[in-house]
Every structure is written in structure tokens, then in C-alpha cells.
Amino acid sequence: MKNIFSSIIVKKGLVTLFLIFIYVLGSRLTLPFVNVNSRDYLGGSTAYLAFSTALTGGNLRSLSLLSVGLSPWMSSMLLWQMLSFSKRLGISSLSIEVQDRRRMYITLFIAIIQSLAISLNLPIQPIFSSTLIILMNTLLLIAGTFFLVWLSDINAINGIGGPMVILLSSMVLNIPQDMIETFKVIQISYTSILLLVLMGVAFTYIVSILYRARYRLPLHKVGLHSRFKRYSYFEVMLNPAGGMPYMYVMTFMSLPTYVLLLLHSLFPENPIYMELSNQYKMGEALWIYLYIAILFLFSIAFAFVNMSGDQIADRMKKSGEYIYGVYPGEETSRFINRLVLRFSIVGGIINVIMAGLPMLLVLHDEKLLRVAMIPGLFLMLNGMIFSVKDEVKALRLNETYKPLI
């Protein structure tokens, strides 16, 4: 028993379970002076925003303190990565502390927009001044977002999985409820549900194979004996972006909805904002086509986030590794970037086929929206689970080494 609890995996796992308990508890704390029985809020976008926030650690259905989730933080990470591609801004040359501080400023700005948009559209009980209640709920929602960011950082240091555990917990708690409600609305038969389950198992198997598919490029290392060369290689995933594009595309596409809701609340006499919100609503043709296009673009962008040619070439140069026939340094960087680009396009096509094309069914019947989202959820879940599994595997490998003394 003593050996079990001395394992670093068990220790980190217990910390993660404790943090999940705190998250679940916080997601059940309802905002004050809000009528939780009302469902007529957020300008009719409740179902869409509730679904999208569930993918980012939020819980908009229960109108809790953590309703916004990690969406502002994820949006700020996305914007920061986009800005980092520009060498003119010189972001990569900034210190880590400065970069973290500026990312938090962006997170705060986005959290204010989303929290204020939600607070202005909540069904408030007129007990005190409505302005005071809106201000208090906005501050609580902002605080809830930063609490989740802090909780994710604590889990990344002392637990397993980092922020992905929060996202997984949110999906497990909220997505099944959405699926059950959808099946009730479309009145699907038990045979069809069983068929969907079998398709889900087959889809999970296919996604697992695609996730593990690798292209290996032999590497040469200075001083390495020839008989060990077959163990030295550089790997590129068939889908280098993994499940990240789907996760971030939902966050990215929910931002305009929050902005339009906020503008409509501030300027109710101007009908254009509500009209734009209705046109952009999840399930509409404009939203679906944008979703498919952005999913493909994010598949390419996040491939370079996960595998930067400059960083890999610099690391290879310092460790004395090189690709046969390619000069170290800038030429190696260009070679790797071209390789990543080819596989990112392949990965983008895979993501569009698996998570994008099913959305076209919604053009036929809007009730099929959440059913059409299931393949994307499987992509996202598989990516998260494999990432957590790889982290646990690394921790187990670290425990195999015994001290000499």
C-alpha cells in the first residue's frame, strides 16, 4: 500500500481528482438573483452557447459562476499564436513573464465582453437594482474564468492533463444531457441509437489509428554508431494538428455571437445586431460554411503550432542532428515546414470529412445539429485522451529509473 501511494502517478492522479471535485462543485454554484427556471435569455442563442461553452469548461445551462469557462483564455491563446507568426511584432523575443502578462490582458478583455453579454441577457429577479446585479454577475463570471485558468495551471504543475482535464470533465457532465434532449426532440428509435453507438465505436477506432499514424524521417547524428541509426528518426503525424482545430473553432466562432449580443443589449433600438445574430446563429448556412472553412484553416495553423520548423531545426542543430542531404539551420527549417504543410493539408481534409461534412445534414434539418457534432466531439475527445495517456506513459517511464545509491 505504501508503494502505491508513493507513486508519482497516484499522487498526481489524486490531485487531479480533487481539482475535478472543486470544478464540479463550482459549476453548481448558481449566479445570485437569477431566475434559473427561465430559458428565455441570450436572445434565443441559449442552446448554441450552452453547447459551445460545454466544450470549453463552461456550464451555461445552470447559470453558474463558471458559465463562461475557459473560452476567453482559449481565445486569447489562439489570438496570441496568430500574432506570434508575425516576426515584425517580435513577440517571440519577449520574456516569458511579459508574454504571460499580455496574454492575461487579452483574456481579461475577452472575458469582460462575454461576461457582460451574458449578464445583460440573464433573467434577473428584480429584488435590488438591476444595474448592481448585472455588475456583480459580470465580475463573478470574470472571476470564474480566471479561477478556472488558475485551476488548470495548478493541475498542469501538480496533476495530470492540465486544462484538458477540465474540458473533459465539462464534456462528460454536459454533452450527454444535450444528446439525450436531441434524441427526444427528433424521436429517434432505439435501433437508430444502437446503430449510432456502433458507428461511434468504429469511428473511435479509425480516429485512434489516424492519431497514431506517423511518417518517420531518418536522422543522422554526429558520433552515433551506425547500428543505432535505425533508432534515430524524426516523426510527423498524419494529422499534425490533432483534435485542437475542432476545440478552438467552436471557441473562435462563439466570439461574434457574444459581441452581437452585447451590441444588441447596449443598442436595442438598432435591429441590425439582432438580425446579424440570427443570420450567424449555429445551424444557419452562413455559420456552417464558415465552420467548415475555419476548421480546415485551423488544421493547417495548429499543425505549425505543434511542429514549428524553426524550433525543431534549432534543436537539431544544437544536438548535432541533421537530415541527410539537407543543410542544418534555415534549409532544414524550410524542409520541415514544407513537410508539415503537406501533412497539415492531409489532416485538414481528414478533419473536414469527419467533422465538417456531417454538418451539411443540418441544412436539411436543424434538429440534427447536435447529432452532426458527434464526429467532431470524438476527434476532440480522442486527442485529449491520447494526450493524457502519453503524459501518464512518460511519468511511468520516469519511475522505471532507479537511483544508483
Side-chain angles (χ1 to χ4, degrees):
M1 184 66 69
K2 184 178 179 181
N3 291 332
I4 293 176
F5 286 99
S6 63
S7 171
I8 188 171
I9 298 176
V10 174
K11 290 178 181 177
K12 284 180 172 286
L14 291 174
V15 171
T16 298
L17 289 175
F18 177 68
L19 295 178
I20 290 174
F21 170 76
I22 294 175
Y23 165 72
V24 174
L25 185 65
S27 64
R28 295 295 181 266
L29 298 177
T30 309
L31 290 168
F33 310 114
V34 174
N35 183 11
V36 294
N37 295 320
S38 175
R39 286 294 176 261
D40 186 21
Y41 59 93
L42 295 178
S45 302
T46 309
Y48 159 50
L49 291 178
F51 188 87
S52 62
T53 52
L55 300 179
T56 58
N59 187 6
L60 205 53
R61 288 188 176 277
S62 62
L63 299 177
S64 69
L65 301 178
L66 308 179
S67 291
V68 178
L70 288 168
S71 177
W73 177 74
M74 292 172 65
S75 299
S76 69
M77 293 289 289
L78 178 61
L79 292 172
W80 191 260
Q81 289 291 347
M82 289 180 176
L83 294 173
S84 299
F85 286 130
S86 174
K87 293 185 178 181
R88 287 186 178 181
L89 297 176
I91 290 176
S92 58
S93 62
L94 299 174
S95 64
I96 301 298
E97 292 79 7
V98 173
Q99 292 189 43
D100 289 341
R101 193 183 309 121
R102 293 185 181 180
R103 274 198 296 263
M104 287 298 105
Y105 290 151
I106 299 175
T107 302
L108 177 61
F109 177 72
I110 298 174
I112 291 172
I113 293 175
Q114 295 187 200
S115 301
L116 188 57
I118 292 173
S119 299
L120 287 170
N121 289 276
L122 289 178
I124 297 174
Q125 297 175 351
I127 300 175
F128 299 104
S129 168
S130 59
T131 304
L132 182 63
I133 294 174
I134 289 171
L135 178 62
M136 181 175 59
N137 285 335
T138 301
L139 292 175
L140 287 173
L141 288 171
I142 294 171
T145 294
F146 279 89
F147 174 76
L148 281 182
V149 174
W150 175 78
L151 208 66
S152 300
D153 288 341
I154 295 296
N155 189 50
I157 297 171
N158 302 307
I160 297 173
M164 285 183 292
V165 170
I166 302 295
L167 303 179
L168 277 171
S169 302
S170 175
M171 293 171 67
V172 170
L173 289 172
N174 298 297
I175 298 300
Q177 181 182 352
D178 287 330
M179 293 296 109
I180 292 172
E181 291 180 2
T182 300
F183 293 151
K184 288 180 179 179
V185 170
I186 62 179
Q187 297 180 349
I188 191 169
S189 64
Y190 288 107
T191 306
S192 300
I193 293 175
L194 179 61
L195 182 62
L196 285 173
V197 171
L198 293 175
M199 288 175 63
V201 173
F203 188 82
T204 303
Y205 178 73
I206 294 171
V207 171
S208 301
I209 292 175
L210 292 175
Y211 186 86
R212 289 301 185 188
R214 300 287 195 275
Y215 173 77
R216 289 183 174 180
L217 187 68
L219 290 182
H220 298 264
K221 187 175 178 67
V222 176
L224 184 67
H225 194 276
S226 58
R227 68 191 181 97
F228 294 113
K229 284 185 178 180
R230 62 193 180 97
Y231 300 109
S232 181
Y233 49 82
F234 169 72
E235 286 188 339
V236 181
M237 293 174 60
L238 182 63
N239 185 5
M244 292 177 67
Y246 179 80
M247 180 170 57
Y248 278 91
V249 75
M250 296 300 296
T251 305
F252 182 78
M253 295 196 68
S254 66
L255 273 178
T257 305
Y258 284 110
V259 173
L260 290 171
L261 279 174
L262 179 60
L263 290 173
H264 177 69
S265 301
L266 296 176
F267 308 102
E269 69 282 353
N270 194 337
I272 190 171
Y273 299 121
M274 184 51 65
E275 180 65 25
L276 287 172
S277 180
N278 291 332
Q279 292 293 329
Y280 186 74
K281 189 169 61 176
M282 189 178 188
E284 296 295 326
L286 175 63
W287 189 94
I288 291 173
Y289 294 136
L290 280 174
Y291 166 82
I292 294 174
I294 295 174
L295 179 64
F296 180 77
L297 293 176
F298 277 14
S299 299
I300 296 175
F302 278 103
F304 287 97
V305 171
N306 292 338
M307 302 188 71
S308 171
D310 293 338
Q311 294 178 3
I312 295 172
D314 185 60
R315 186 174 66 246
M316 288 172 59
K317 190 175 180 180
K318 290 178 180 178
S319 61
E321 296 174 330
Y322 63 95
I323 301 169
Y324 186 77
V326 181
Y327 284 105
E330 189 174 344
E331 187 174 335
T332 298
S333 174
R334 289 197 297 267
F335 178 84
I336 293 173
N337 284 334
R338 286 196 298 268
L339 198 63
V340 173
L341 177 60
R342 291 178 194 144
F343 281 97
S344 67
I345 293 174
V346 174
I349 294 172
I350 292 172
N351 288 336
V352 167
I353 291 173
M354 291 190 168
L357 293 185
M359 295 297 293
L360 297 177
L361 295 173
V362 183
L363 296 175
H364 174 69
D365 188 354
E366 287 189 4
K367 295 177 182 178
L368 297 173
L369 176 61
R370 290 171 184 168
V371 177
M373 301 289 284
I374 292 176
L377 290 174
F378 273 101
L379 279 175
M380 183 176 169
L381 278 169
N382 272 272
M384 290 180 176
I385 292 171
F386 274 113
S387 296
V388 174
K389 182 182 176 181
D390 290 341
E391 184 176 344
V392 172
K393 185 178 179 181
L395 290 172
R396 290 181 61 186
L397 181 63
N398 186 54
E399 286 189 333
T400 60
Y401 293 96
K402 303 299 180 182
L404 295 175
I405 300 177

